[in-house]
Amino acid sequence: MSRPELVAPPEIYYGDIEAKKYTNNSRIQQIQADMTYRALELLNLPPDEPAFLLDIGCGSGLSGEILDEEGHMWVGVDIAPSMLEVALEREVEGDLFLQDIGQGFGFRPGSFDGAISISVLQWLLNAETSHPTSSPPHRLTRFFITLHAALKNPSRAILQFYPTSDDQIQLITSIAQKAGFGGGVVVDYPNSKKARKVFLCLFVGGGGGAQQVPKGLESEVEDEGKVQFEKRRERLKSRSGGKRKNIKDKDWILKKKELYRQRGKEGVPNDSKYTGRKRKAVF
Amino acid sequence: MVRLITHNLLACHAKGCTSNNFPLLFQDAAVELRDADFNADFLRGFLPRLEWPALVGAARQLGDTSLPAEQPDMLDDDFLQKLHHVLLEIHVEEGAMVCPNCKHVYPISNGIPNMLLAEHEIG
Ligand SMILES: C[S@@+](CC[C@H](N)C(=O)[O-])C[C@H]1O[C@@H](n2cnc3c(N)ncnc32)[C@H](O)[C@@H]1O
Ligand SMILES: [Zn+2]
């Protein structure tokens, strides 16, 4: 597995070219979407109510787009200007902030109904950014304390990340606990090399609903997990289907494109019979 | 895309800046209006989270005087429509937000506020 967090600071690694490459890669789109659906499931929000969520390390909006789809409002923060730029181009609905999560948040107490973070925390284990910074434990402490304050009581934060070792999981969970969080780690498909995913499930107060840490998903045969993961997503999708009207239908997109052309924005794609078509899942 | 719904939740997070650090004041704000889906239930649910005087003040800074100085007890449709517009349809695209206490300036460009702190400001 590649470890971009060891290559360069995030805002350098996710420069203009990588930000586009990352966002347009259909395999990445699928994986990030799957994990976001799973994070939403673990968030355990009250059904059929729009929530106000924080997307930590929102990047170009691949995770936030799923929040849009599910009818939630969200605020996204990210340290990479190029990723945020792509998020603007993709017209995600969330409010975006250029922010280093290792410097902490300034949100007032109880601002959010929940938080998600998809594939970000491993970056905090490496101190390097091109901005002033401090040690990873210091940054993690600042991050978790201010996150805990920004969440309402009770609520949850679900953070999927790629640890390199159990020691890293240990470090992160102990700092989160000191910041006041309950909860623990959920590992999906622990025996599958490809599909294994680590979710930090943090509770504020009782966490809303059952207090035990949810169970990880299991697959019977090694490496079949991936397939099941995607099947599950289809199920989840159809379950939520029809609940909310899709605002990004063809008319809406055409209207937006027209608006951008009027404003003189360059590179607005031509309209075609494919405009606004339903995107199929890619396998 | 700073909207007043998020502005109302945002305090200064510079080191040691813990009182009188909210609400951030808009400076040279350029605003764009964009329609958003109206959801009365969401608004009713969100209302307790708002700092009302800060919201009214921020809206006035941006030239919108539609909200009453006191939060009304009756949440009728007319009021919810106004609240909807102020919270979700006014986008600050350019300008800055300034901390009333430490005077840190958070510049806004392309609708995105820059919340990065300088070394001596990190808590
Ligand atoms: C793999 S991307 C994931 C983006 C998005 N959540 C998704 O699912 O597509 C990781 C993101 O974390 C961001 N990131 C890394 N370190 C960060 C930090 N200290 N503060 C804020 N964002 C950070 C990067 O800029 C990048 O956009
Ligand atoms: Zn301040």
Side-chain angles (χ1 to χ4, degrees):
Chain A
M1 192 194 143
S2 72
R3 288 272 165 198
E5 69 272 21
L6 301 178
V7 176
E11 68 282 9
I12 308 285
Y13 180 83
Y14 292 106
D16 284 344
I17 293 169
E18 183 58 31
K20 290 215 165 65
K21 229 169 76 187
Y22 174 88
T23 312
N24 293 331
N25 181 323
S26 57
R27 206 178 64 87
I28 291 180
Q29 289 174 3
Q30 179 77 46
I31 295 171
Q32 302 311 108
D34 284 340
M35 295 191 292
T36 309
Y37 277 110
R38 174 67 171 142
L40 272 175
E41 184 177 57
L42 293 169
L43 260 189
N44 199 29
L45 296 164
D48 301 325
E49 274 175 37
F52 194 72
L53 304 176
L54 179 62
D55 186 354
I56 300 158
C58 61
S60 52
L62 293 184
S63 42
E65 245 163 29
I66 305 298
L67 303 179
D68 286 340
E69 232 176 73
E70 294 295 304
H72 299 301
M73 308 252 204
W74 55 280
V75 171
V77 302
D78 202 282
I79 198 175
S82 303
M83 290 292 261
L84 293 172
E85 180 77 16
V86 176
L88 282 184
E89 279 166 21
R90 291 166 67 86
E91 299 175 19
V92 296
E93 307 277 333
D95 283 3
L96 306 174
F97 288 85
L98 178 64
Q99 189 154 8
D100 176 1
I101 58 172
Q103 297 184 344
F105 302 107
F107 296 111
R108 287 200 289 112
S111 290
F112 296 99
D113 297 313
I116 64 159
S117 177
I118 308 297
S119 317
V120 179
L121 269 196
Q122 68 276 4
W123 285 95
L124 271 197
L125 294 161
N126 298 277
E128 222 183 308
T129 76
S130 34
H131 310 291
T133 188
S134 40
S135 69
H138 186 93
R139 285 163 60 73
L140 283 162
T141 301
R142 184 90 188 128
F143 167 69
F144 281 119
I145 287 177
T146 55
L147 174 62
H148 187 270
L151 292 167
K152 78 167 196 214
N153 183 355
S155 68
R156 294 185 182 186
I158 308 294
L159 307 101
Q160 178 276 329
F161 72 113
Y162 294 108
T164 45
S165 66
D166 287 348
D167 284 354
Q168 287 192 338
I169 298 183
Q170 194 53 45
L171 174 73
I172 286 189
T173 42
S174 76
I175 295 177
Q177 268 165 16
K178 275 191 213 127
F181 282 108
V185 170
V186 173
V187 182
D188 281 354
Y189 311 117
N191 301 318
S192 159
K193 241 194 192 147
K194 269 200 216 145
R196 183 176 193 270
K197 291 286 174 317
V198 176
F199 293 84
L200 190 58
C201 294
L202 300 179
F203 298 170
V204 178
Q211 300 219 7
Q212 312 98 309
V213 177
K215 281 212 170 56
L217 304 173
E218 300 274 351
S219 60
E220 272 138 45
V221 188
E222 183 124 333
D223 276 344
E224 252 187 24
K226 175 117 171 57
V227 180
Q228 288 190 5
F229 211 14
E230 289 171 1
K231 275 210 200 103
R232 246 174 33 85
R233 184 188 168 208
E234 290 308 299
R235 268 210 311 281
L236 273 171
K237 252 167 105 172
S238 56
R239 209 195 299 157
S240 61
K243 195 171 74 190
R244 204 174 71 104
K245 104 173 189 299
N246 184 5
I247 41 171
K248 295 195 177 177
D249 61 6
K250 184 162 183 172
D251 285 347
W252 185 89
I253 294 173
L254 291 175
K255 215 174 78 191
K256 275 274 182 176
K257 283 181 171 176
E258 194 48 47
L259 193 73
Y260 277 112
R261 290 196 189 101
Q262 281 166 13
R263 287 196 205 140
K265 187 162 163 169
E266 280 168 32
V268 180
N270 289 325
D271 303 330
S272 75
K273 64 177 174 170
Y274 299 115
T275 302
R277 74 196 184 281
K278 272 232 155 36
R279 263 180 271 173
K280 272 215 198 77
V282 187
F283 291 95
Chain B
M1 289 173 293
V2 204
R3 292 178 292 181
L4 291 188
I5 189 169
T6 14
H7 171 266
N8 198 264
L9 302 173
L10 201 60
C12 179
H13 68 302
K15 185 178 187 170
C17 189
T18 49
S19 62
N20 185 34
N21 60 348
F22 171 87
L24 304 177
L25 301 167
F26 285 113
Q27 204 173 57
D28 306 325
V31 164
E32 236 178 76
L33 302 181
R34 268 175 251 156
D35 291 344
D37 291 344
F38 178 74
N39 186 327
D41 290 338
F42 176 79
L43 292 169
R44 276 194 212 95
F46 205 84
L47 211 49
R49 233 173 281 186
L50 293 171
E51 282 283 341
W52 189 257
L55 180 66
V56 175
R60 293 201 175 156
Q61 282 176 48
L62 302 180
D64 188 298
T65 55
S66 62
L67 296 180
E70 297 281 324
Q71 186 178 324
D73 300 325
M74 269 285 293
L75 307 181
D76 59 18
D77 213 51
D78 178 54
F79 167 72
L80 289 176
Q81 290 284 356
K82 283 177 183 150
L83 183 64
H84 166 74
H85 177 70
V86 168
L87 282 182
L88 299 170
E89 298 191 321
I90 305 177
H91 296 248
V92 179
E93 292 292 323
E94 303 289 331
M97 295 181 292
V98 184
C99 172
N101 183 42
C102 76
K103 310 294 177 208
H104 181 99
V105 177
Y106 298 96
I108 303 171
S109 125
N110 250 324
I112 301 179
N114 180 339
M115 305 306 287
L116 296 169
L117 300 173
E119 184 147 30
H120 65 278
E121 295 172 318
I122 300 176

